[in-house]
C-alpha cells in the first residue's frame, strides 16, 4: 500500500474547511467500518455474547485493521499535519478556559499517533503477509485515537477567525431582559430549548420567553438554575441567533479513557426475559430459585438487577458531571434509586434462597395443556354443529 504524499512546503496548503472535512470523512468511514465489524463479530458469538468462532473473529478484526489503514491513507494522510497546525493556531487565540490544557494534550497525542502511522506507512510490509496484519493491528490504537478525538482538532480548525460575541444589548437593556426572563422562569414560562459551551467555558442556553401568548427567543449566559445568569440577546429565530452567538465547542466526556472503537469484550449475559421463561418452565423450586439468583449474581457475569444498579450509578455520575444545579439534583435522585435497587437485590437474593430451601415441586394437578389437539379418525363422523338461533320475525 502506497501512502499518499503530504503537501509540499511550497505547495498550496488546504484551507481550513477542507481540513475539517478530511477529518470528518475519516470519522464517518471509521464508523462504517466499526458497524460492519460488529456485525461480523456478532456472527462469531453465542446467544450469551461469548466468542465461539475465534478464527472468524480474528479474521474480522484483521479486515477491520486493514480497512482503517486504507481510510486514513485516503482521507487524513495528506492533511493530518496541516490540520494539527491550524488547530494549534486557533487554540493559541482562544481566551483562557479550563478545557484548553486538555485540548492541547489531545492535539499532542494526535500528533504522536500521526507520526507512528506515517512511520508504518513509509515502510509497509508485504501485502497479505502476517507481518502486514501485525503492522495494521499495531496501528489500530493510533487510528482510533484519530477517529475518537479528531473532532476537537476539526472544531478548532473550522472556527471562524476572530469570531467573538458582541452583546447587542446595552447594560440597561440586558438588565431589563434578564428581569423579564427571571420573572417568566418563576411563572414556568421560560422554555429552555438548547444548550452549549462557548470557547471561554461559559454555558449558553437558548430559551423561549413566553409573554401573553407571545414567544421571544432569548440567549442566556450561565446556569439557568443557578443565581447570576443573564440574558445576552434576543432574536427572531434560531438562525439569527446562531449567526451572532458564540460558536459551540465540542462537549466533554464522562470518562477520559472512553473510546467508541475500543469497547471491552461483552460479558456473558442472560436477559430478564430468558430468566422469566426459566421460571415458567420450571417444575422444581430449586430451578425457579436459580433463575432469581442469576438475576442478582454479582461479579464478571453479573445479573440484570446488578447491571441496573450499575446503570443508575453511572447515570448519577453523568448527571453530576454536568456541573449544573439541576444535574446535581438528578444525580442525588439516581444515587438514591441505586441504593434502593441494592436493597431490593439483597431482598430478592434472600427470597430466592428461601424458595430453594423449600425442596418442593409443583403439584401434579397442574397438568399441561396440549398445544396441538389430536385429529379425529378418518371414519369418524364429524360432530353435528350446534343449531343456529332462529331469527325472530318482525311484525309491523
Amino acid at each position: 500500500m502506497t501512502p499518499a504524499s503530504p503537501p509540499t512546503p511550497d505547495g498550496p496548503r488546504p484551507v481550513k474547511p477542507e481540513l475539517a472535512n478530511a477529518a470528518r470523512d475519516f470519522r464517518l468511514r471509521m464508523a462504517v467500518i466499526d458497524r460492519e465489524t460488529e456485525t461480523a463479530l456478532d456472527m462469531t458469538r453465542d446467544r450469551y455474547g461469548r466468542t465461539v468462532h475465534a478464527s472468524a473473529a480474528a479474521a474480522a478484526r484483521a479486515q477491520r485493521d486493514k480497512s482503517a489503514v486504507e481510510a486514513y491513507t485516503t482521507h487524513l494522510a495528506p492533511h493530518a499535519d496541516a490540520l494539527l497546525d491550524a488547530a494549534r493556531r486557533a487554540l493559541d487565540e482562544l481566551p483562557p478556559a479550563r478545557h484548553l490544557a486538555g485540548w492541547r494534550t489531545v492535539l499532542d497525542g494526535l500528533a504522536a499517533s500521526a507520526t507512528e502511522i506515517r512511520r508504518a506507512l513509509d515502510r509497509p510490509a508485504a501485502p497479505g503477509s502476517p507481518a502486514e496484519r501485525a503492522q495494521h493491528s499495531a496501528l489500530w490504537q493510533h487510528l482510533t485515537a484519530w477517529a475518537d478525538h479528531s473532532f476537537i482538532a476539526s472544531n478548532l480548525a473550522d472556527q471562524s477567525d476572530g469570531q467573538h460575541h458582541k452583546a447587542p444589548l446595552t447594560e440597561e437593556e440586558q438588565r431589563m431582559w434578564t428581569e423579564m426572563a427571571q420573572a417568566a422562569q418563576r411563572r414556568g414560562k421560560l422554555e429552555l430549548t438548547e444548550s452549549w459551551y462557548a470557547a471561554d467555558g461559559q454555558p449558553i442556553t437558548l430559551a423561549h420567553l413566553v409573554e401573553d401568548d407571545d414567544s421571544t427567543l432569548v440567549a442566556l449566559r450561565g446556569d439557568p438554575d443557578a443565581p447570576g445568569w443573564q440574558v445576552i440577546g434576543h432574536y427572531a429565530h434560531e438562525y439569527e441567533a446562531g449567526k451572532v452567538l458564540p460558536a459551540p465547542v465540542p462537549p466533554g466526556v464522562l470518562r477520559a479513557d472512553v473510546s467508541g472503537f475500543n469497547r471491552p469484550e461483552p460479558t456473558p449475559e442472560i436477559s430478564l426475559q430468558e430468566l422469566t421463561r426459566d421460571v415458567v418452565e420450571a417444575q422444581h423450586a430449586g430451578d425457579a430459585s436459580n433463575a432469581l439468583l442469576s438475576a442478582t449474581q454479582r461479579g464478571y457475569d453479573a445479573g440484570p438487577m446488578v447491571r441496573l444498579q450499575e446503570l443508575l450509578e453511572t447515570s448519577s455520575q453523568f448527571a453530576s458531571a454536568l456541573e449544573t444545579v439541576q444535574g446535581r439534583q438528578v444525580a442525588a435522585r439516581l444515587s438514591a434509586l441505586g441504593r434502593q435497587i441494592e436493597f431490593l437485590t439483597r431482598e430478592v437474593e434472600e427470597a430466592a434462597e428461601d424458595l430453594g430451601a423449600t425442596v418442593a415441586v409443583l403439584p401434579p394437578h397442574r397438568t399441561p395443556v396440549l398445544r396441538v389437539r389430536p385429529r379425529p379418525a378418518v371414519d369418524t363422523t364429524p360432530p353435528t354443529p350446534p343449531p343456529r338461533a332462529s331469527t325472530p320475525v318482525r311484525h309491523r
Side-chain angles (χ1 to χ4, degrees):
M1 184 184 303
T2 304
S5 302
T8 60
D10 297 332
R13 303 286 284 184
V15 296
K16 291 180 180 180
E18 291 180 357
L19 298 176
N21 289 341
R24 182 201 60 199
D25 291 343
F26 173 70
R27 291 193 298 272
L28 290 175
R29 178 60 188 143
M30 285 290 285
V32 172
I33 293 171
D34 180 65
R35 185 164 57 250
E36 293 173 346
T37 303
E38 283 302 315
T39 300
L41 290 175
D42 283 343
M43 302 297 293
T44 70
R45 298 172 180 140
D46 65 8
R47 60 192 295 190
Y48 302 118
R50 295 173 298 204
T51 299
V52 292
H53 302 292
S55 59
R61 292 190 176 93
Q63 180 59 44
R64 174 201 68 182
D65 299 342
K66 179 181 178 180
S67 299
V69 171
E70 293 172 348
Y72 185 91
T73 303
T74 301
H75 299 292
L76 265 180
H79 309 301
D81 291 338
L83 175 64
L84 291 174
D85 290 343
R88 285 194 174 101
R89 288 194 298 270
L91 187 63
D92 292 338
E93 297 173 0
L94 293 179
R98 290 172 57 188
H99 57 271
L100 298 191
W103 282 7
R104 200 173 301 277
T105 300
V106 168
L107 296 182
D108 292 343
L110 292 177
S113 290
T115 300
E116 292 296 325
I117 297 170
R118 187 186 308 110
R119 183 179 294 116
L121 294 181
D122 288 342
R123 296 190 298 273
S129 66
E132 184 189 51
R133 289 194 294 273
Q135 186 180 61
H136 291 171
S137 178
L139 289 179
W140 174 249
Q141 61 176 335
H142 300 294
L143 296 166
T144 56
W146 274 87
D148 280 322
H149 307 305
S150 63
F151 69 93
I152 292 178
S154 298
N155 182 271
L156 286 167
D158 205 26
Q159 290 286 336
S160 301
D161 291 336
Q163 182 185 8
H164 298 290
H165 173 250
K166 296 180 175 61
L169 305 178
T170 65
E171 290 186 8
E172 180 62 29
E173 290 174 329
Q174 187 177 65
R175 183 165 51 253
M176 180 191 70
W177 277 96
T178 300
E179 291 174 354
M180 290 172 55
Q182 290 173 345
Q185 185 184 47
R186 289 191 292 270
R187 298 194 308 271
K189 297 295 185 179
L190 187 66
E191 302 172 359
L192 309 183
T193 62
E194 187 180 359
S195 179
W196 67 88
Y197 276 88
D200 61 359
Q202 287 293 317
I204 306 295
T205 304
L206 292 181
H208 288 286
L209 193 161
V210 181
E211 286 276 355
D212 299 328
D213 296 329
D214 186 24
S215 176
T216 304
L217 183 68
V218 295
L220 320 176
R221 180 184 289 274
D223 182 357
D225 295 307
W229 59 268
Q230 294 179 320
V231 173
I232 58 175
H234 57 90
Y235 314 94
H237 43 68
E238 284 80 359
Y239 178 73
E240 180 188 356
K243 290 192 299 182
V244 296
L245 285 172
V249 299
V253 295
L254 178 61
R255 294 172 182 168
D257 60 348
V258 67
S259 172
F261 298 91
N262 291 295
R263 294 186 176 129
E265 190 78 13
T267 57
E269 193 170 65
I270 303 178
S271 69
L272 277 175
Q273 183 177 6
E274 188 164 353
L275 293 176
T276 302
R277 190 65 191 174
D278 287 346
V279 176
V280 171
E281 296 174 355
Q283 294 177 311
H284 295 261
D287 295 335
S289 171
N290 288 336
L292 287 172
L293 290 174
S294 295
T296 61
Q297 184 167 310
R298 305 170 191 274
Y300 172 73
D301 50 351
M305 294 193 69
V306 176
R307 295 295 187 199
L308 176 58
Q309 183 187 359
E310 293 175 357
L311 173 62
L312 292 174
E313 291 176 350
T314 305
S315 300
S316 175
Q317 294 169 10
F318 181 92
S320 178
L322 295 174
E323 298 183 5
T324 63
V325 170
Q326 190 169 8
R328 287 189 289 271
Q329 293 172 350
V330 173
R333 290 172 56 193
L334 290 171
S335 180
L337 289 172
R339 291 191 296 272
Q340 293 179 32
I341 293 295
E342 167 64 21
F343 173 79
L344 181 60
T345 300
R346 291 197 300 269
E347 289 290 305
V348 172
E349 194 169 14
E350 292 178 5
E353 292 173 351
D354 292 342
L355 179 60
T358 59
V359 192
V361 298
L362 293 175
H365 65 77
R366 301 185 66 87
T367 55
V369 176
L370 292 178
R371 296 178 63 87
V372 179
R373 297 187 179 276
R375 298 174 61 183
V378 176
D379 56 351
T380 302
T381 303
T384 303
R388 297 180 59 184
S390 58
T391 304
V393 179
R394 294 174 178 260
H395 299 279
R396 295 195 175 188

